[in-house]
Amino acid sequence: QVQLVESGGGLVQAGGSLRLSCAASGTIFAIADMGWYYQAPGKQRELVAGITSGGNTNYADSVKGRFTISRDSAKNTVYLQMNSLKPEDTAVYFCTMKLKRFKFLDFRDYWGQGTQVTVSS
């Protein structure tokens, strides 16, 4: 089965930086879109950044100019570089990928377990 594992979260002071990574493992035929979502306590999950197989990106307004999403398709990995972090960025960050395990299957969404990012003031 496919597994997505995030890494790089942690505690950082306001103004600092973190880089999140998410690598997919298992049987994978192809990956289309990749993305990052975040969820604060009591809030619904929201898109942080997405990247298509062609390299097109989109970002939440709140992170534009501070965060950068990138991918290494050969490594089945997506990254989120987070700079100039603010306390309001504190949340659990989830990696997601739209992929198919075999050619005959449809694409479907897979999710990581999430990694905590805490930004102190």
Side-chain angles (χ1 to χ4, degrees), residues 10-109:
L11 175 65
V12 65
Q13 288 188 297
S17 298
L18 288 172
R19 190 174 87 143
L20 306 184
S21 300
C22 175
S25 61
T27 301
I28 300 170
F29 176 76
I31 302 176
D33 300 341
M34 300 180 176
W36 291 93
Y37 285 68
Y38 65 170
Q39 187 169 26
K43 303 288 187 177
Q44 76 178 68
R45 195 169 298 183
E46 300 283 352
L47 176 70
V48 177
I51 184 166
T52 69
S53 60
N56 294 323
T57 60
N58 64 291
Y59 298 90
D61 288 341
S62 61
V63 307
K64 286 180 180 176
R66 300 187 297 120
F67 292 7
T68 303
I69 188 170
S70 61
R71 65 189 286 167
D72 186 340
S73 296
K75 297 172 66 176
N76 298 331
T77 300
V78 62
Y79 305 94
L80 186 68
Q81 180 66 48
M82 309 166 69
N83 297 328
S84 302
L85 282 161
K86 304 175 180 179
E88 49 262 46
D89 298 321
T90 296
V92 178
Y93 285 72
F94 296 89
C95 168
T96 185
M97 300 185 189
K98 187 180 299 292
L99 63 83
K100 58 169 65 180
R101 297 180 65 226
F102 301 97
K103 184 177 181 180
F104 67 89
L105 294 174
D106 295 328
F107 283 94
R108 58 153 287 183
D109 294 331

